[in-house]
Amino acid sequence: MSNPSREMRGSAADLFPTHVLGRPEVRELPPAPANTGKLIGPGIVAAGVGLSSGEFILYPYIASQVGMAFVWAALLGVMTQFFLNMEIERYTLATGETVLTGFSRFWRHWGLVFALMTCFANLWPGWATSSATMLSYIVGGEPRWIAIAMLISIGLILTLAPVVYVMLERLQMVKVAAVGLLIVIAGFFVITAEDWAALPQIVTTASIPTELGFALLLGALAFAGAGGGQNLCQSNWIRDKGFGMGKYVPRIRSPVTGQPEAAPSTGFVFEPTPEHMARWNRWWRFANWEQLLTFVAITFVTITFTSLLAYATVYGQEGLPNSVAFVQSEGQVLAERVGGWFGALFWFIGAFSLFGAATGIVDYTARLAADVLRTSYLKRANESRLYFWIVWTLVAIGVVVLLAGLTQPLVLLVISACVGGLMMFIYSGLLIRLNRRLLVPEIRPGPGRVAALAWGFLLFGFLSVLTVAQQIPKLWGGG
């Protein structure tokens, strides 16, 4: 029997505004493969890229000051990002388009706004510099020159990989495995039964230690795991993995070792037939579990462990810096307790972790910018070539910043602090409009998912106002 409401509504493609971009093509929704294990990866990439200075410095520093009482915020923060990521994935699963392309359907320049904000937030090569500093604890040398070598290495890695996503996924899997190795070894040699007994503090003594500064704590809550432009790149990563309608979109390939393909400027949609809805339900169920068991689980376990390790080694120690130097102090304690080999291993895994984060950050910044330029402005350009030009531009800017001696330029740090929360505030709201308006009713987010996005909108809006109010005066000598 036909569905009258569907006949009155017409095609799923009719819901898409076409004043900026063309009408999406109607195709079949590919069935989810029987062996979905082969599709696991985007959540690991998200966790791997997101495990950076916050997980190795910020949360452990908080634990060194107040114990495990604030780790609960990491779970709240990463769950908030889970719902954000899933609404980003929902649109790409259903259309093969990135959410930036979706936003650009409302206003042509939305994608460019987010791409520029992501570039501004990542201009200072802070993750590469932090990685280089940790490596210098082992091998010596000037961190600035090590960081420059790392940036050039990142450019070569992203340029020479035949399929960029495959390389990035493998790198982040090795990184996650290395952190897992650290957890196992420290569990045997460093963390005592008394330290393990502190884990229930996450619940029993959960609190907001305002003596550490409210902005620091709220930032830790909101940006646990990822943040800013990285969440938006979930679209690109699941598309390259072949999720849903993303299977129809070519992947970014190296112009040197691969065969660059031009991606279509618009996506694909499917009609909500019973067969398609059965396939959609399988895709949606798998995508949610993939994010929960990788991004959420890996991020929270890592934050909990690194916090517990800091609690076991430097809790209560006076004068600990809230910077990469904190990790130096922690590594020295580990070397004294277990042996020099473990302190070196701790620093090496931290350096490798931050290097992996830096690689992912350059990748997602270039992906977002290339996608936007190709879709809305340079429709005849090749997205793969645009991507590599942007990668090397970011590398060059990072090298210039380091050669100029700007190890932590105030302006770039303030921009980064202000832009991250502002981006998440804006796109939390846009996601509600995007998925409730452009997708057919059968696959739109329900009240619970909309409420989660509304929570993110309010949280990141409050964070943005607070961060701007506290950081902008520093540009004028007020901080």
Side-chain angles (χ1 to χ4, degrees):
M1 181 179 294
S2 62
N3 186 327
S5 62
R6 187 173 299 151
E7 291 175 359
M8 292 175 63
R9 183 180 62 208
S11 171
D14 295 339
L15 296 172
F16 287 71
T18 57
H19 61 283
V20 175
L21 299 172
R23 175 188 170 101
E25 181 182 339
V26 177
R27 289 192 183 180
E28 285 195 3
L29 174 63
N35 182 11
T36 52
K38 294 181 178 179
L39 290 172
I40 293 175
I44 295 176
V45 173
V49 175
L51 294 177
S52 55
S53 55
E55 286 66 31
F56 274 88
I57 300 172
L58 182 55
Y59 274 99
Y61 172 77
I62 293 173
S64 75
Q65 303 300 303
V66 299
M68 305 295 287
F70 194 65
V71 175
W72 63 270
L75 182 59
L76 179 60
V78 79
M79 285 305 300
T80 299
Q81 291 193 38
F82 163 77
F83 288 108
L84 272 178
N85 287 350
M86 290 317 302
E87 290 312 306
I88 289 168
E89 289 197 16
R90 184 193 300 270
Y91 183 76
T92 301
L93 277 169
T95 67
E97 293 183 350
T98 66
V99 286
L100 291 189
T101 299
F103 295 158
S104 297
R105 286 185 175 277
F106 296 130
W107 179 53
R108 181 183 182 188
H109 305 299
W110 266 130
L112 184 62
V113 167
F114 285 118
L116 289 175
M117 292 173 81
T118 301
C119 289
F120 281 133
N122 296 327
L123 278 179
W124 176 58
W127 291 265
T129 303
S130 297
S131 176
T133 302
M134 293 181 71
L135 191 60
S136 72
Y137 299 153
I138 306 171
V139 302
E142 172 60 44
R144 177 175 61 170
W145 296 109
I146 298 174
I148 289 174
M150 286 182 170
L151 286 173
I152 295 172
S153 298
I154 288 170
L156 291 173
I157 289 170
L158 295 177
T159 300
L160 298 178
V163 179
V164 176
Y165 174 81
V166 173
M167 179 283 307
L168 186 67
E169 182 180 277
R170 290 172 180 171
L171 175 64
Q172 301 307 328
M173 284 183 174
V174 172
K175 169 182 170 176
V176 169
V179 174
L181 176 66
L182 180 68
I183 291 175
V184 171
I185 295 176
F188 280 104
F189 290 101
V190 181
I191 301 175
T192 66
E194 183 179 351
D195 298 324
W196 286 113
L199 278 178
Q201 291 181 12
I202 297 173
V203 177
T204 59
T205 64
S207 62
I208 302 176
T210 53
E211 65 271 19
L212 297 181
F214 191 62
L216 179 145
L217 299 176
L218 192 57
L221 184 158
F223 298 111
Q230 182 185 329
N231 299 86
L232 292 172
C233 205
Q234 281 298 126
S235 277
N236 305 73
W237 289 332
I238 71 164
R239 189 169 72 172
D240 267 18
K241 192 68 174 178
F243 278 35
M245 301 300 278
K247 187 174 182 179
Y248 295 119
V249 182
R251 300 188 290 187
I252 290 179
R253 297 177 180 270
S254 169
V256 178
T257 60
Q259 297 179 350
E261 298 179 74
S265 59
T266 56
F268 311 91
V269 294
F270 61 90
E271 303 294 1
T273 63
E275 174 61 23
H276 280 156
M277 289 310 302
R279 293 179 180 183
W280 169 262
N281 290 334
R282 288 194 292 272
W283 274 115
W284 183 242
R285 183 167 55 250
F286 166 75
N288 277 270
W289 277 111
E290 198 267 348
Q291 275 282 300
L292 279 171
L293 297 178
T294 55
F295 173 69
V296 174
I298 292 171
T299 301
F300 183 65
V301 168
T302 302
I303 290 175
T304 301
F305 167 75
T306 54
S307 298
L308 187 61
L309 188 59
Y311 174 82
T313 53
V314 292
Y315 176 60
Q317 184 174 317
E318 296 293 333
L320 289 172
N322 182 17
S323 67
V324 71
F326 166 80
V327 184
Q328 183 180 25
S329 301
E330 192 175 354
Q332 289 169 345
V333 174
L334 292 172
E336 292 170 2
R337 289 194 184 181
V338 182
W341 68 272
F342 189 70
L345 179 66
F346 174 73
W347 288 326
F348 176 78
I349 290 178
F352 180 68
S353 179
L354 290 167
F355 176 79
T359 304
I361 288 165
V362 173
D363 171 74
Y364 80 67
T365 303
R367 278 179 186 272
L368 295 181
D371 175 51
V372 167
L373 291 174
R374 167 69 178 82
T375 300
S376 297
Y377 303 98
L378 304 172
K379 296 186 178 182
R380 294 186 178 182
N382 182 282
E383 188 171 342
S384 292
R385 291 194 177 95
L386 285 174
Y387 169 86
F388 293 107
W389 275 108
I390 297 168
V391 163
W392 282 104
T393 299
L394 292 170
V395 169
I397 292 173
V399 170
V400 169
V401 166
L402 292 172
L403 287 176
L406 301 175
T407 55
Q408 292 192 27
L410 179 61
V411 172
L412 295 181
L413 285 177
V414 171
I415 288 174
S416 180
C418 296
V419 162
L422 181 60
M423 286 179 68
M424 299 178 83
F425 164 64
I426 297 173
Y427 67 64
S428 294
L430 281 175
L431 280 169
I432 299 175
R433 184 186 182 199
L434 182 71
N435 287 344
R436 292 289 298 176
R437 178 175 170 183
L438 300 195
L439 302 184
V440 293
E442 289 86 346
I443 63 174
R444 289 173 184 169
R449 299 281 176 149
V450 172
L453 288 179
W455 152 251
F457 179 78
L458 295 173
L459 172 66
F460 298 124
F462 178 61
L463 174 64
S464 299
V465 172
L466 181 67
T467 305
V468 170
Q470 293 196 352
Q471 296 297 325
I472 290 298
K474 293 182 180 181
L475 294 176
W476 308 100

